[in-house]
Amino acid sequence: MIRRAEAPPGAAGRENAMEGRSPDVPRVIARPPVIHFGLIAAAALFSLVRPSPSLLGGGGRWAGWAAMAAGAWLMGAALIQFQRAGTPHETDKPAAAFVTGGLYRFSRNPMYLSLFLFHAGIGGAAGSLWILLSLLPAFLLVRFGVIAPEERYLERRFGADYLRYKAAVRRWI
């Protein structure tokens, strides 16, 4: 199911731009892929200075590859749902709709969940404790710097429809 905004897509952005204000979009600290891959890169660089103790054997590495595959599948499925709804997935563009069907019946944030699976999978496949530990700052940054502003934005944009959805569907799983 798809819930549409009352104004045409981007209308709020055009009106605000004419008035010299920025478009009505969530004010997130960074795009989630930038957060995850930035922390993965930082952890990989840190491992050059201080090599990570390997906690995982061959099975852990296979689990890492499986987590990456699951994350990639989940991201692809969520992106298809956004495309079908005609709404952008980028956090710097106004939402035309919010999706409540498919994966979004179970989680309000399957794209972000997919990034965490992929992040954990990279850590597992690489056998890197540092990459796995970088999941904690990633979680804090995404939860408070991305999801919180997005939820405030969606409440403003979609009102009671989004509040009902938010009350009925968990944030993660």
Side-chain angles (χ1 to χ4, degrees):
M1 179 166 236
I2 300 165
R3 307 286 180 169
R4 297 237 170 253
E6 291 185 18
R14 285 192 302 274
E15 290 167 9
N16 288 337
M18 286 185 233
E19 296 172 9
R21 295 182 302 183
S22 59
D24 184 26
V25 296
R27 304 283 188 249
V28 301
I29 59 169
R31 294 191 58 199
V34 172
I35 292 170
H36 282 279
F37 291 110
L39 287 167
I40 290 167
L45 287 173
F46 183 71
S47 70
L48 295 174
V49 176
R50 177 115 171 115
S52 164
S54 182
L55 301 177
L56 306 171
R61 292 180 195 269
W62 281 107
W65 285 104
M68 283 194 291
W73 177 86
L74 192 60
M75 179 61 79
L79 287 171
I80 287 168
Q81 288 184 268
F82 264 53
Q83 184 178 28
R84 286 182 182 157
T87 194
H89 67 276
E90 299 94 338
T91 55
D92 60 347
K93 295 182 181 174
F98 69 96
V99 181
T100 59
L103 296 171
Y104 291 87
R105 289 178 300 149
F106 308 105
S107 170
R108 295 195 314 261
N109 296 296
M111 284 188 213
Y112 301 154
L113 185 58
S114 75
L115 287 169
F116 282 101
L117 280 169
F118 203 81
H119 187 149
I122 290 172
S128 172
L129 175 63
W130 304 136
I131 292 175
L132 292 172
L133 289 175
S134 72
L135 283 162
L136 179 59
F139 174 79
L140 294 172
L141 290 168
V142 169
R143 170 61 185 90
F144 296 105
V146 177
I147 292 174
E150 267 188 355
E151 288 182 342
R152 288 189 299 270
Y153 166 75
L154 293 170
E155 287 174 19
R156 265 193 336 271
R157 184 109 168 121
F158 298 101
D161 282 345
Y162 181 73
L163 290 172
R164 279 189 294 277
Y165 171 69
K166 187 177 168 183
V169 178
R170 293 179 180 193
R171 179 173 288 128
W172 298 107
I173 50 176

